[in-house]
Amino acid sequence: MIHRILGTLASAASQPSDERQPTPAVRLDGVTHEYGATGGRLRAGEQRTVTALRDVSIDVQPGETIGLEGPSGSGKSTILHAVAGLLVPTSGSVELVGTDLTPLSTRKRTHVRRQHVGIVFQHFHLLPSLSARANVALPLVQTGVPKRARRKRATELLTQVRLGDRTTHLPSELSGGERQRVAIARALATDPTVVIADEPTGELDTATGDAVLDLLTDVGRERAVLLASHDESTLAVADRVITLRDGRVVADGQ
Amino acid sequence: MVSDDEQPPNADSERQSQREDERSTDEFSGRRTNRTRWVGLGRLAVTRLWKRTTKTTSRRVVATISAVALTIALLVVVTGVALALADGGTTTENDADVQVMPESTDLLSSINGVEGARLGEANERAASIREADGVDHATPVLTEPMRLEQPSDESAASTNETEPGSEANATDNRSATDPQTVLLVGVTPDEESRTVAGLPTGELASDVDTTADAANATDTNATAAQAPGQRELVLSTTAAERLGVTAGDELAVSSSQFEMTDTPPPTVTVAAVVETSGDDETPVALGHLHALQTLSGASEGELADRVLVWGESDAAADEAAAAYPDATVETPDRTDPSLLFDDGLAFVTSVLALVVGVAICAAFVATTAGMTVNEDRRMLAVLESVGFPTHSRLAIVAISTQALTLCGALFGGVLGFVGIHALNAVASGTIAPGAIAETHPLFLPYALVIACVAGLIAIPYPLVIAARTSVLAEVSR
């Protein structure tokens, strides 16, 4: 399955576009999103809709690490959720490896997310009753990878994030930094094209946060990484930082 | 370069064959992936449940399992009581371990009024069975309808001449009732009280001389036939009410045979009036075998309808088969669940237990599973964010709920068996002479099936809660 995904991605990356440019890993084109209008978080009626994004256009190339900065409510998380296919914007298009997510059904968006997106949350969101290895192998269950292969892949990933000796530990038996590394390993389980990380160091101390950022930097060499944060030192690892205010892109670049 | 049109025909067929091979390989791979996925989902649900029970948050899991276990245990106990209530009719109700019956005679059985086949030399053979190792007691059973009535003054007076002890009965002013037909059941009672035709043999004087050897056992019966104890009956309450007698009263056998020969009819004493444990509509009386054989003309061939044997089932069955090689030897299963369908009260009791059990179990499972899913919203959101579609997430919830229910049912089944034994122990020590509930191996699969049905009824509620979970709301918290 992993090789199949890699093969698909490789062929997608090798296909030249009309302008002989590589297909962007992520493309947001004129994206506007209003919560409340499309059945989002706030179901308080049309009179109380909140515009989270206004005509946002972003391209992210494979191997590029993008930092999203801005105050709370500026639309950072909404962009990440739209890229992950967890929400459909009110208008505009969101392309993931050349596939527009907006016209797809929930099931198909879930399928695309499973194949192309790895998510790292601020609060880790590991399943407390599963071991570190089982948490990492979780996305592979739905892809139909046999148990032995899942375990092998999860152990390899945990070793990569320097947790090879913690495979059977429950999340409650791990430190915050270790939990976030398990979450990163889980995000890489299906070898995704895009990794999105929402405040990945928000729960960690500086030293642990630096270790996690090093890991994400390594990850970003082969994939597109979208990193949302308030923290300057976290954004410092990005190749490009996009600044958002009230749902608009006010700056795009270093 | 060769175009497609110029290729030889066999190249097309080869390509087509190759495409078909690839397609079938893909289909096979797809099926295998699907199977692996579903096995993985099942494993994930069960593993998560197990780890939660043993390592993390066990309270909710234990609460669900306990609720289901208690409900199922109650269902099993009530069904056990219903099974104990269910039994055969009065004339077949006995507590023997083995019964010998003549081979069925289909040719005669369809003709109304013609007697079926009977066992011959029953007294002698029962005596020989009685002497075998592992056999506690054996008795022939003869069933004959007889007309009984309260004795007229004349016959009572003649009885008084022979029985001075019954003077009190003769002075009774109660008027004689019309003759009533009663089903007389003749047995050879021993020192221990046993149940035949729903009545206790212990109320009759023993016919078995425990010091006598097998050779003179029948002589013992013959001698006993002359004793006053041979002329006693144990009446069912129905029979006693119809005849208007109580314990200690006299009854006369009404027969045209005695009227024609102008001989006084033989009289019998009511030894006891007992409520039968089964069918209470048929008037039944339990008496001594020899007396009944003499009255019915069955004494010459020592005829009997059945021979009942008490003792170790295997030994009793072997001995009975040896004594009657051509007869049917049965080891009755008094806990056959199909008996529930033959007894109205038992059937209604068990059906009520079933309905109440399913309803309560489903309510418990729906409530606790709903609360569990509500607490698990974040887990469901995480599953969605890592690519589990709705049907997979709901499958995990459904498998978890059913697994919990089945665990509860297993515990409940075992608890039910323990409960039945405890109930019997308490009942035996207080109000009942013996067991009031029966166990059966089928109770365990029955409990599992019922719990499974209750789980299926309960599942929609947690599934609705799971389906309504908003991934954005949960991961943004």
Side-chain angles (χ1 to χ4, degrees):
Chain A
M1 174 57 75
I2 298 299
H3 296 296
R4 203 170 67 195
I5 293 167
L6 285 173
T8 310
L9 295 178
S11 61
S14 63
Q15 282 173 359
S17 65
D18 291 343
E19 295 84 24
R20 294 178 180 275
Q21 287 178 347
T23 306
V26 177
R27 168 174 283 171
L28 274 71
D29 187 13
V31 171
T32 297
H33 186 66
E34 292 178 354
Y35 284 112
T38 57
R41 277 192 291 188
L42 304 174
R43 293 166 183 261
E46 290 185 8
Q47 292 83 4
R48 297 186 62 186
T49 56
V50 176
T51 305
L53 295 177
R54 297 168 199 269
D55 195 25
V56 173
S57 297
I58 299 171
D59 276 8
V60 185
Q61 299 300 329
E64 195 177 14
T65 299
I66 299 292
L68 298 173
E69 71 163 348
S72 293
S74 59
K76 305 187 295 293
S77 296
T78 306
I79 288 177
L80 297 186
H81 293 157
V83 171
L86 292 173
L87 64 80
V88 179
T90 313
S91 64
S93 67
V94 179
E95 285 183 22
L96 200 63
V97 202
T99 305
D100 187 1
L101 298 179
T102 50
L104 298 183
S105 66
T106 304
R107 187 171 181 169
K108 283 183 179 169
R109 273 187 282 120
T110 305
H111 181 73
V112 172
R113 177 165 66 248
R114 185 166 66 242
Q115 284 194 316
H116 297 307
V117 183
I119 307 177
V120 180
F121 298 103
Q122 178 182 355
H123 303 296
F124 326 130
H125 290 323
L126 301 176
L127 301 196
S129 50
L130 296 185
S131 67
R133 185 172 57 196
N135 265 292
V136 173
L138 197 59
L140 301 176
V141 172
Q142 184 58 36
T143 55
V145 177
K147 184 182 176 185
R148 192 172 293 177
R150 288 201 306 264
R151 285 191 161 195
K152 186 167 177 278
R153 170 77 176 158
T155 306
E156 283 171 4
L157 286 166
L158 283 171
T159 306
Q160 279 180 32
V161 297
R162 297 187 298 281
L163 287 174
D165 56 342
R166 297 277 199 276
T167 53
T168 57
H169 286 56
L170 292 176
S172 59
E173 297 164 342
L174 301 173
S175 68
E178 288 173 331
R179 287 183 209 182
Q180 194 60 299
R181 280 189 273 159
V182 172
I184 292 170
R186 181 180 66 187
L188 300 176
T190 55
D191 205 358
T193 323
V194 179
V195 172
I196 61 175
D198 195 356
E199 300 280 7
T201 58
E203 294 271 307
L204 307 175
D205 58 58
T206 309
T208 313
D210 288 346
V212 167
L213 287 173
D214 286 345
L215 197 56
L216 280 172
T217 310
D218 284 346
V219 168
R221 291 201 179 98
E222 298 168 356
R223 302 171 177 80
V225 176
L226 274 82
L227 197 64
S229 181
H230 290 102
D231 184 35
E232 289 292 328
S233 58
T234 301
L235 294 167
V237 303
D239 300 320
R240 182 156 60 102
V241 175
I242 295 171
T243 308
L244 296 159
R245 291 280 185 282
D246 299 328
R248 292 182 192 281
V249 176
V250 294
D252 187 350
Q254 282 290 15
Chain B
M1 187 176 168
V2 181
S3 70
D4 285 350
D5 293 340
E6 292 168 341
Q7 282 182 348
N10 60 341
D12 281 344
S13 62
E14 274 178 20
R15 198 180 303 157
Q16 190 176 348
S17 165
Q18 193 177 347
R19 274 201 298 267
E20 281 173 3
D21 285 350
E22 283 171 3
R23 198 181 306 140
S24 63
T25 306
D26 285 348
E27 282 174 5
F28 176 73
S29 173
R31 277 202 300 273
R32 205 171 54 180
T33 305
N34 259 333
R35 196 173 61 239
T36 313
R37 177 182 303 132
W38 282 106
V39 169
L41 289 174
R43 268 206 191 116
L44 172 63
V46 174
T47 306
R48 200 174 144 267
L49 204 59
W50 176 249
K51 290 282 177 64
R52 286 183 68 175
T53 312
T54 55
K55 293 195 172 176
T56 54
T57 52
S58 60
R59 278 173 53 193
R60 180 82 63 200
V61 175
V62 170
T64 308
I65 289 177
S66 303
V68 174
L70 284 174
T71 314
I72 293 297
L74 187 67
L75 170 72
V76 169
V77 169
V78 176
T79 309
V81 172
L83 187 58
L85 283 174
D87 219 327
T90 299
T91 52
T92 58
E93 186 174 328
N94 61 71
D95 57 0
D97 298 298
V98 171
Q99 63 180 9
V100 186
M101 302 174 77
E103 287 284 355
S104 62
T105 51
D106 295 338
L107 283 174
L108 294 176
S109 62
S110 60
I111 304 170
N112 192 24
V114 176
E115 287 180 344
R118 281 179 165 168
L119 299 170
E121 299 175 13
N123 302 20
E124 187 182 340
R125 294 191 195 188
S128 73
I129 294 171
R130 207 179 295 147
E131 294 304 316
D133 290 337
V135 175
D136 298 335
H137 183 56
T139 174
V141 177
L142 179 64
T143 307
E144 280 285 347
M146 284 277 175
R147 288 170 69 79
L148 298 176
E149 61 184 343
Q150 287 186 24
S152 61
D153 292 342
E154 190 182 327
S155 62
S158 71
T159 306
N160 289 339
E161 287 172 14
T162 56
E163 290 186 50
S166 60
E167 191 176 347
N169 295 328
T171 56
D172 193 345
N173 292 330
R174 189 170 42 219
S175 60
T177 58
D178 293 333
Q180 297 287 332
T181 302
V182 174
L183 203 60
L184 276 183
V185 180
V187 293
T188 306
D190 64 339
E191 298 294 337
E192 193 172 329
S193 182
R194 306 178 191 281
T195 303
V196 176
L199 295 169
T201 62
E203 301 292 344
L204 300 171
S206 171
D207 284 348
V208 179
D209 182 358
T210 50
T211 59
D213 58 22
N216 60 17
T218 51
D219 295 337
T220 308
N221 282 345
T223 309
Q226 308 304 320
Q230 278 282 313
R231 296 202 301 239
E232 59 181 358
L233 285 179
V234 178
L235 292 183
S236 68
T237 46
T238 309
E241 281 169 11
R242 289 190 186 179
L243 291 164
V245 294
T246 57
D249 288 352
E250 291 284 318
L251 281 172
V253 178
S254 169
S255 171
S256 56
Q257 175 192 340
F258 302 118
E259 289 169 9
M260 285 168 65
T261 55
D262 202 23
T263 52
T267 58
V268 290
T269 309
V270 178
V273 175
V274 180
E275 191 168 350
T276 55
S277 51
D279 172 21
D280 56 356
E281 291 180 5
T282 310
V284 187
L286 192 66
H288 291 266
L289 173 71
H290 192 78
L292 185 58
Q293 282 177 330
T294 306
L295 278 172
S296 63
S299 59
E300 194 174 332
E302 295 184 348
L303 300 179
D305 295 298
R306 288 174 291 155
V307 172
L308 301 181
V309 187
W310 286 263
E312 295 168 19
S313 293
D314 291 343
D318 290 347
E319 201 60 36
Y324 285 101
D326 297 326
T328 305
V329 178
E330 288 182 351
T331 306
D333 181 6
R334 279 186 291 276
T335 59
D336 183 0
S338 64
L339 290 173
L340 285 171
F341 297 98
D342 300 332
D343 186 294
L345 177 64
F347 182 68
V348 170
T349 306
S350 57
V351 167
L352 275 178
L354 171 70
V355 172
V356 172
V358 168
I360 294 178
C361 192
F364 272 136
V365 172
T367 308
T368 50
M371 290 163 81
T372 306
V373 171
N374 201 35
E375 286 180 356
D376 275 353
R377 281 174 185 268
R378 185 166 295 173
M379 181 275 290
L380 293 168
V382 171
L383 289 181
E384 186 174 352
S385 69
V386 299
F388 282 66
T390 308
H391 67 268
S392 293
R393 299 196 307 275
L394 297 188
I396 288 173
V397 172
I399 291 168
S400 303
T401 307
Q402 273 301 39
L404 270 180
T405 312
L406 288 178
C407 279
L410 267 179
F411 282 114
V414 174
L415 199 62
F417 276 88
V418 173
I420 286 176
H421 287 296
L423 187 68
N424 283 336
V426 171
S428 300
T430 52
I431 53 168
I436 61 168
E438 299 279 359
T439 57
H440 195 279
L442 277 179
F443 280 3
L444 201 56
Y446 175 64
L448 290 177
V449 169
I450 294 305
C452 208
V453 171
L456 288 176
I457 293 171
I459 272 178
Y461 179 59
L463 289 190
V464 166
I465 295 177
R468 284 182 177 173
T469 300
S470 161
V471 61
L472 292 182
E474 294 303 321
V475 299
S476 303
R477 276 186 194 174

